[in-house]
Each structure stands twice: as structure tokens, then as C-alpha cells.
Amino acid sequence: MAKTKKKQEALSVSRLINEVLVAQLSIPFRQIVNDTTFSKYTGSKRPDILISEFEYDGTNDEQYIKNLVAYAEAKDDCKVDDKDWKDALKQGKTKAPKLGLPYFIVTNCKTTYFYNAKTLKQLTLNGNPIREFQTIDIYRLIKNKLTENPNLDSINTNVDSISTISEAIFNKKLWELAGVYRGINFKDNVQKIDFTVGFVALEYFEEKEEIDGNKDASKVYWSTCNDEVAEKIKNNLSGYISRLEDETTFKEFKNVMEVVRIAISGDGKNKPLIGVDDVKQIYGIIDSMKPLHGTGFDLFGAVYEMFASSKEKKDFGEYFTRRHYTHIFSKLLLQDEDVYNKKKEFSIIDPACGTGGFLTESFKVLLNNYEKSGTLTSEAREFLSKKCFYGVDVRDENISRTRLNMFLVGDGHTHMYSDNSLKPTRQGKNILNKKYQYVITNPPYGSGTIKANTEAISTNRTEIAFICKVIDLLEIGGKACIITPDGVLENPSYKKLRREILEKCEVYAIVSLPKFAFAPYTKEKTYALFIKKRSNTITKIQDKPVWMYIIDNDGLANSDKRFPTKLRNNRNGWMHDEISGWVSTDGIEMPGVLEKRWLTFDDSETKSNWIDEKGIVQTARKGGNIDIERITSDNYETLLPEYYLRPYSPHYINEEEFANELKKIDDEMRRVLSEIS
């Protein structure tokens, strides 16, 4: 019996390593060692799981152990605090110091706890208990913090690559849900996505009530829905949804909650889509996601990325922006808003908000800024929740999702409206006739039916109409970030438009995104255009230079598939991700490359070297200030970063080389024709 249990445990640990640590958390497989004796350090006792900075080749024991970042004891099929769990605690307390680690992990391959090796207290991350394996960044951070203070049990961080529940951890839970969903006949993926987001929102509502101090112990909540009997969980959830719809402000999300209620309880005519056992399983998985407060990422976007088909992603592409772009551009646009000042409150609008990716990230950026500066007062929270954020989108279903997405990230969902920003109705005019300090948006591209509000050119191109609308929405001195296709910046017929922008605004930065930035949604070459409004009328062209920068790698493969490659250097910095923040091997939080270089980087004297995702060294200019005289002296007043930073140099060949090339083509054509005949 013991041998069978040991065999099952080994299988569970193997699956944990392959399916979670490697597949979900992107930890290199060769940096993970399982059930191996390191007699010099732990004698005959074998640590179950070790994770190091270096790959283990069977001979480099000292190098591997000296650079450990995590150690875990695994006990399959045990319960927290039972005999086996306590045995793992005892082993961890003994082995961790011998391995040079100030903390250790205990897991039953489903639930995972982190412990201080000295005090045996559970570790928390940003005030919340750690209940899942984490990314390698967090292991480094924990090791560093506890090495500095061995008695510490609360880890706090503001680094971009870490959040209360990291997106990687959340994706692991979505992966577990996907396993349950295989046996459920959803009508389509949209229903699957709305069901998932709605189910998550039910849990989050209770968290928010607790945070706001509004929880009523006499009422039904998410936590009171739990039961050993699956049928009771289903009935409790149905009653919980009905209560939220009848008694709370959460009823404004009724359409999403109804997707959940009908799926688990039926609609009177049709049987429930999801059986009670599956409901119980889904409830358990989402319950284990807690806490969701302060996740700091586009929750709807994460669910969408997991469950949408390629076709749906292409259809959805006109209003979906990947989270790592929405975050960094929100952070750069709002970098001066580091302190809450009641006398200088401001407003932000996205006139093509889609599901609210830019708005949710802006909320998190400001919340984080105010926390860091110590100005996150009750007035600041009220400002963020009810006064600061505005969103407009032409699709009703998008606004419903934006409201819920904002609610899930912390709030700020009050001023979200369904309307056409280019041709608003009476209600929309109240929002779109106001002036804003900030505008951030990724508007749709292509031919439209509404003429752009500009005297420079006559066009119905939607991207140009939105740029004109953004300038109109800004107050004097207001700033905007607009994602725009390359034609706006280089098309010769748009020369007068570019001059008008340079006259009305200060174009202070243009960032080139990789060709596949939004693949598979679209392969349109795109740019982030940063402007500051100077005038409502035509005035003298700006005299300040334009800072331009080219992002070559954003952490995802430059292809349609866009999988994360996560290549790092030996200090843990990203080698091909210029967007994400990171944690060094010393556990020090570091800003991303773009943020660090923002508005100051200039490699005009010496070209930059970087390593692409294939590990090949590339050399070219990355960024710098382009004098306005250089732009205006160009025949078309081009604003394309590549035009100035990486001008195209044609390769000329002589007549002999040309003849050789023609002969090769002729030989190949003759070969193909002979095969056909």
C-alpha cells in the first residue's frame, strides 16, 4: 500500500512540475530537480522539488544549490494540517536552512502554502496568503526579502510583473476550468467566456463588500454557498444570484449573472446546461482563486485569451488590446499623477473602450501610484471609484463587460456608456462634449461612414476621425496616447493632417510596436502616438523634438501564435521583452526597458545591440530625439520612427550579379516545368 501511495505521489509531482511549473509558470524544466539526493547539504533526505537559477547537469551540485530560489515538500492527497502535512512542515524546517533558503513550500499538489523557515508562519504577498506556486520572479523576491529580515512573513511589492494573483497563476486556474468545460456543451465560446467572468464576479462581489465594510452577516454570499452536497451548492448559487439582482447595485450586471444562473439552473423550458457535480467543481476552482482584489490585470482579457477561438479573436480584434501594452502605455501616460490632490482632480476617457483594457490598467496604475506616495485616502478612493474614469463604445455588450471589468479591478465603472463617439446621441453628447485631461485609446481602423473633423484632408478613415476626436476631447495641456496604424504617420496624402497635429499638439513621443503586436487579431503595423494639446486653433508648428523608439520584442514570439518566450539574462532581466518589469537575481524590483528609457534614451552616437528571441545578436538604432526641423524638411513630414532611426538602404548589384540571378531563376523554372511534364 505504501509503495502504491509513493508511486501515485511521484506521478502527481511529475504532473505538477510539467503542467504547472513549466507549462503554466514558464520555469525552465532543467532548472527544476525532483527527489534527488544532495548528501552534502541534506544527507540522505531528498527534497521533493528544488528550483535554481542554474540548470542541473548531475555534476554541478554546489552551483545549483548555492543559487536555489525555491524548495517544496510534496505530500499527495493529504489535507492542510493533517499528519502528512505536519510531517512536511517538519522536513521543511530542517532542510530549508541546510539548502540556504529562508523559506519553504508545502503542497498536496492542489493547495500550496509558503512558510518562513525560521518562524513557520505562513507567508503573505501584498497582504494575502500565498496559496499557489508562483513565477520565478516571486521566488527571488521572497528569498531576498527574508534573507534581509528572517522574521518577515509579509511580502510587499509593486513590481509590474507581480500582483496579488499573478496573471500566470490566474491562467493556471483557467486551465483547470478548461478541463471541466470539456464535458459541457456551451453554445459557443462567447457563452463560455461570459459564464466564466460572471462566475468570477460572484466571488469578487463578496470581497468588495468586505473591503468596503458593507458585508451583512445575515445575507447570502459567495462563501455561504459552499456545501459538501453538490445540489445544495447549485441551489445556493442560484439564490445568491437572485439576491444580488434584487437587493444590490450589482444588479446592473444582471445580464452576465443570468448567463451563470440559467446555465446551472435552467430557464424553465430547458434543462440546466451544467450538471451539479460540474458546478461544484467550478465553484471550487474559482473559490481557490481568492483573493481577486487588486489583481492588476485585465481579467476579461485573460479569460478571452484562454477560451476564444482564432476566428473569434480576429473578429474581436478591433476592440481588444493586449494587457502588457495597455499597462505600460497607461503607466507612461499617467506618470506625473503620482500623488492624489483633491484640488487637482482630473478625468480620463477612452472613446473606443472595447472591454475596458486601457481603463482597468489606468485604474491600477493610479491606485498603485497613490499607495506608493501615501496619498490613497478615502477621498482618493472615492475619486478613482466614481469621478475619474469615462468609457464609450458603440457596442452594448462591450460596455457591460467594461463595467464588470472595472468593477473587478477595483471599481470606476460608473461612467461607462454605449454610444458612437464619432456621432453621439443626446446622452453621449453630455460625455463627449466635455474636456478631459487624459485620453487613452486603441480605436478601430479602416473605412467608415463618418467624415473626420479636420480641414486638412477629406477622409472617412475611422482611425483619422478618432485622432481628430481625441484632440477635440483634450483640454489645453491635456495628454493622450493613441494606438494608430502606420498610414497615419507616413502616407503622403496625409501630410497636411500630420502638420495640423504638429500645430495643434506637441507630439512628444512615438513608439513603434512589433509587426505581430496584435496578432492574430490584426497584423496591421501599429504605433503608440503620445500627444499634448497646445491649442484649439491652428498655430505655429511645435518646436520641440519628437522622441521616437522602436520596440523589437515584447516578450511574445514574433509570429501569429504569440506564445511567451521568456528569455532572460543571468541577472534575470528580460532579453527580448522591452515592456515588462522584472526582479533581479538579487530580488531587486526593476522597471521595464521602455519605462527606464522613456523620453531620455538616445543611441545616435552608438547603435544598440540586443538579442532577439532566437538568441541572435542584432545591431541597429532603437531610439532618440528627432529634431522638428528634420521632420518639416522632409517632403511628406513623415512621423515614422523607422524612417529616421533605421532608414532603408537599398542593396545594388552589378550587371554580372544580375545576370547570375536571372540564370538561377531560369534554371529553377525549367526544372519545375520538366517535373510537371
Side-chain angles (χ1 to χ4, degrees), residues 220-243 264-265 283:
V220 177
Y221 283 94
W222 170 270
S223 59
T224 56
C225 291
N226 200 7
D227 198 285
E228 288 296 319
V229 180
E231 182 73 29
K232 288 186 178 180
I233 291 179
K234 185 264 289 184
N235 292 335
N236 291 341
L237 284 170
S238 186
Y240 177 44
I241 292 170
S242 296
R243 182 181 86 77
I264 66 175
S265 299
Y283 177 90

Short mmCIF file of all heavy atoms in Angstrom, two decimals, residues 220-243 264-265 283:
data_model
loop_
_atom_site.label_atom_id
_atom_site.label_comp_id
_atom_site.label_asym_id
_atom_site.label_seq_id
_atom_site.Cartn_x
_atom_site.Cartn_y
_atom_site.Cartn_z
N VAL A 220 -26.97 36.10 2.23
CA VAL A 220 -26.28 35.03 1.49
C VAL A 220 -25.15 35.64 0.67
O VAL A 220 -25.34 36.64 -0.03
CB VAL A 220 -27.26 34.31 0.54
CG1 VAL A 220 -26.53 33.26 -0.29
CG2 VAL A 220 -28.39 33.67 1.34
N TYR A 221 -23.96 35.04 0.78
CA TYR A 221 -22.81 35.48 0.00
C TYR A 221 -22.16 34.28 -0.66
O TYR A 221 -22.57 33.13 -0.46
CB TYR A 221 -21.79 36.20 0.90
CG TYR A 221 -22.19 37.61 1.26
CD1 TYR A 221 -22.88 37.87 2.44
CD2 TYR A 221 -21.88 38.67 0.41
CE1 TYR A 221 -23.25 39.17 2.76
CE2 TYR A 221 -22.25 39.97 0.73
CZ TYR A 221 -22.93 40.21 1.91
OH TYR A 221 -23.30 41.49 2.22
N TRP A 222 -21.12 34.56 -1.45
CA TRP A 222 -20.37 33.50 -2.13
C TRP A 222 -19.93 32.42 -1.15
O TRP A 222 -20.13 31.23 -1.39
CB TRP A 222 -19.17 34.10 -2.85
CG TRP A 222 -18.20 33.10 -3.39
CD1 TRP A 222 -17.11 32.57 -2.75
CD2 TRP A 222 -18.24 32.49 -4.67
NE1 TRP A 222 -16.47 31.66 -3.56
CE2 TRP A 222 -17.14 31.60 -4.75
CE3 TRP A 222 -19.09 32.60 -5.77
CZ2 TRP A 222 -16.87 30.84 -5.88
CZ3 TRP A 222 -18.82 31.84 -6.90
CH2 TRP A 222 -17.72 30.97 -6.95
N SER A 223 -19.31 32.81 -0.06
CA SER A 223 -18.73 31.84 0.88
C SER A 223 -19.80 30.97 1.53
O SER A 223 -19.53 29.81 1.89
CB SER A 223 -17.92 32.55 1.96
OG SER A 223 -18.72 33.47 2.67
N THR A 224 -21.02 31.49 1.70
CA THR A 224 -22.08 30.70 2.32
C THR A 224 -22.75 29.76 1.33
O THR A 224 -23.63 28.98 1.71
CB THR A 224 -23.14 31.62 2.96
OG1 THR A 224 -23.65 32.52 1.96
CG2 THR A 224 -22.53 32.45 4.09
N CYS A 225 -22.36 29.84 0.07
CA CYS A 225 -22.92 28.92 -0.94
C CYS A 225 -22.27 27.54 -0.88
O CYS A 225 -22.78 26.57 -1.45
CB CYS A 225 -22.74 29.48 -2.35
SG CYS A 225 -23.77 30.93 -2.69
N ASN A 226 -21.11 27.44 -0.23
CA ASN A 226 -20.37 26.19 -0.21
C ASN A 226 -21.09 25.11 0.59
O ASN A 226 -21.78 25.42 1.57
CB ASN A 226 -18.97 26.42 0.38
CG ASN A 226 -18.00 25.31 -0.01
OD1 ASN A 226 -18.34 24.44 -0.82
ND2 ASN A 226 -16.83 25.34 0.56
N ASP A 227 -20.94 23.88 0.14
CA ASP A 227 -21.58 22.77 0.83
C ASP A 227 -20.95 21.47 0.33
O ASP A 227 -20.42 21.42 -0.78
CB ASP A 227 -23.09 22.76 0.57
CG ASP A 227 -23.85 21.91 1.59
OD1 ASP A 227 -23.80 20.68 1.50
OD2 ASP A 227 -24.50 22.51 2.47
N GLU A 228 -21.00 20.45 1.14
CA GLU A 228 -20.49 19.14 0.72
C GLU A 228 -21.37 18.53 -0.36
O GLU A 228 -20.92 17.75 -1.19
CB GLU A 228 -20.41 18.19 1.93
CG GLU A 228 -19.30 18.50 2.91
CD GLU A 228 -17.92 18.35 2.28
OE1 GLU A 228 -17.71 17.38 1.52
OE2 GLU A 228 -17.07 19.22 2.52
N VAL A 229 -22.64 18.89 -0.36
CA VAL A 229 -23.60 18.34 -1.32
C VAL A 229 -23.65 19.24 -2.56
O VAL A 229 -23.96 20.44 -2.46
CB VAL A 229 -25.01 18.22 -0.70
CG1 VAL A 229 -25.99 17.64 -1.72
CG2 VAL A 229 -24.96 17.37 0.56
N ALA A 230 -23.34 18.68 -3.71
CA ALA A 230 -23.26 19.46 -4.94
C ALA A 230 -24.58 20.15 -5.27
O ALA A 230 -24.60 21.31 -5.71
CB ALA A 230 -22.83 18.56 -6.10
N GLU A 231 -25.70 19.46 -5.07
CA GLU A 231 -27.01 20.03 -5.39
C GLU A 231 -27.28 21.29 -4.58
O GLU A 231 -27.83 22.28 -5.08
CB GLU A 231 -28.11 19.00 -5.10
CG GLU A 231 -29.53 19.47 -5.44
CD GLU A 231 -29.80 19.51 -6.94
OE1 GLU A 231 -29.20 18.72 -7.68
OE2 GLU A 231 -30.63 20.35 -7.35
N LYS A 232 -26.82 21.30 -3.33
CA LYS A 232 -27.03 22.46 -2.47
C LYS A 232 -26.19 23.64 -2.93
O LYS A 232 -26.62 24.79 -2.86
CB LYS A 232 -26.72 22.11 -1.01
CG LYS A 232 -27.75 21.21 -0.36
CD LYS A 232 -27.46 21.01 1.12
CE LYS A 232 -28.53 20.14 1.78
NZ LYS A 232 -28.27 19.93 3.23
N ILE A 233 -24.96 23.38 -3.42
CA ILE A 233 -24.12 24.48 -3.93
C ILE A 233 -24.84 25.15 -5.10
O ILE A 233 -24.90 26.38 -5.19
CB ILE A 233 -22.75 23.95 -4.38
CG1 ILE A 233 -21.93 23.50 -3.17
CG2 ILE A 233 -21.99 25.03 -5.15
CD1 ILE A 233 -20.57 22.94 -3.52
N LYS A 234 -25.39 24.32 -5.99
CA LYS A 234 -26.09 24.87 -7.16
C LYS A 234 -27.28 25.71 -6.72
O LYS A 234 -27.47 26.84 -7.20
CB LYS A 234 -26.54 23.72 -8.08
CG LYS A 234 -27.18 24.19 -9.38
CD LYS A 234 -28.70 24.24 -9.33
CE LYS A 234 -29.29 22.85 -9.31
NZ LYS A 234 -30.78 22.90 -9.36
N ASN A 235 -28.09 25.20 -5.79
CA ASN A 235 -29.26 25.94 -5.31
C ASN A 235 -28.86 27.21 -4.58
O ASN A 235 -29.50 28.26 -4.73
CB ASN A 235 -30.11 25.04 -4.40
CG ASN A 235 -30.77 23.90 -5.15
OD1 ASN A 235 -30.99 24.00 -6.37
ND2 ASN A 235 -31.08 22.81 -4.46
N ASN A 236 -27.79 27.12 -3.78
CA ASN A 236 -27.32 28.29 -3.05
C ASN A 236 -26.86 29.39 -3.99
O ASN A 236 -27.14 30.57 -3.79
CB ASN A 236 -26.18 27.91 -2.11
CG ASN A 236 -26.63 27.03 -0.95
OD1 ASN A 236 -27.82 26.98 -0.64
ND2 ASN A 236 -25.70 26.35 -0.31
N LEU A 237 -26.12 29.00 -5.05
CA LEU A 237 -25.63 29.98 -6.01
C LEU A 237 -26.79 30.66 -6.74
O LEU A 237 -26.76 31.88 -6.97
CB LEU A 237 -24.71 29.30 -7.03
CG LEU A 237 -23.30 28.97 -6.55
CD1 LEU A 237 -22.59 28.08 -7.57
CD2 LEU A 237 -22.48 30.23 -6.31
N SER A 238 -27.80 29.88 -7.10
CA SER A 238 -28.97 30.44 -7.78
C SER A 238 -29.67 31.45 -6.89
O SER A 238 -30.06 32.54 -7.35
CB SER A 238 -29.92 29.31 -8.18
OG SER A 238 -30.98 29.80 -8.96
N GLY A 239 -29.79 31.13 -5.60
CA GLY A 239 -30.39 32.06 -4.65
C GLY A 239 -29.54 33.29 -4.44
O GLY A 239 -30.05 34.41 -4.30
N TYR A 240 -28.23 33.10 -4.43
CA TYR A 240 -27.28 34.21 -4.27
C TYR A 240 -27.41 35.19 -5.44
O TYR A 240 -27.47 36.41 -5.26
CB TYR A 240 -25.87 33.64 -4.19
CG TYR A 240 -24.73 34.64 -4.09
CD1 TYR A 240 -24.81 35.76 -3.27
CD2 TYR A 240 -23.56 34.45 -4.83
CE1 TYR A 240 -23.74 36.65 -3.17
CE2 TYR A 240 -22.49 35.32 -4.74
CZ TYR A 240 -22.59 36.44 -3.92
OH TYR A 240 -21.55 37.31 -3.83
N ILE A 241 -27.50 34.65 -6.66
CA ILE A 241 -27.65 35.50 -7.84
C ILE A 241 -28.95 36.28 -7.77
O ILE A 241 -29.00 37.49 -8.04
CB ILE A 241 -27.59 34.65 -9.13
CG1 ILE A 241 -26.19 34.07 -9.32
CG2 ILE A 241 -28.01 35.49 -10.35
CD1 ILE A 241 -26.09 33.04 -10.42
N SER A 242 -30.03 35.60 -7.37
CA SER A 242 -31.33 36.29 -7.27
C SER A 242 -31.27 37.41 -6.24
O SER A 242 -31.83 38.50 -6.46
CB SER A 242 -32.43 35.28 -6.88
OG SER A 242 -32.59 34.31 -7.89
N ARG A 243 -30.58 37.18 -5.12
CA ARG A 243 -30.45 38.23 -4.10
C ARG A 243 -29.67 39.43 -4.65
O ARG A 243 -30.06 40.58 -4.44
CB ARG A 243 -29.74 37.70 -2.85
CG ARG A 243 -29.62 38.76 -1.75
CD ARG A 243 -28.91 38.25 -0.53
NE ARG A 243 -27.47 38.35 -0.60
CZ ARG A 243 -26.78 39.49 -0.44
NH1 ARG A 243 -27.42 40.63 -0.25
NH2 ARG A 243 -25.47 39.49 -0.50
N ILE A 264 -26.68 26.97 -14.81
CA ILE A 264 -26.65 26.00 -13.70
C ILE A 264 -28.04 25.57 -13.24
O ILE A 264 -28.19 24.52 -12.61
CB ILE A 264 -25.86 26.54 -12.49
CG1 ILE A 264 -26.56 27.74 -11.85
CG2 ILE A 264 -24.44 26.89 -12.90
CD1 ILE A 264 -25.88 28.25 -10.59
N SER A 265 -29.10 26.37 -13.58
CA SER A 265 -30.44 26.06 -13.07
C SER A 265 -31.49 25.88 -14.16
O SER A 265 -32.61 25.48 -13.87
CB SER A 265 -30.92 27.16 -12.11
OG SER A 265 -30.06 27.27 -11.00
N TYR A 283 -17.13 25.83 -8.88
CA TYR A 283 -17.16 26.66 -7.67
C TYR A 283 -15.84 26.52 -6.89
O TYR A 283 -15.25 27.51 -6.45
CB TYR A 283 -18.34 26.26 -6.78
CG TYR A 283 -18.41 27.01 -5.47
CD1 TYR A 283 -19.13 28.21 -5.38
CD2 TYR A 283 -17.77 26.55 -4.33
CE1 TYR A 283 -19.19 28.91 -4.18
CE2 TYR A 283 -17.83 27.23 -3.13
CZ TYR A 283 -18.55 28.41 -3.06
OH TYR A 283 -18.59 29.10 -1.86
#
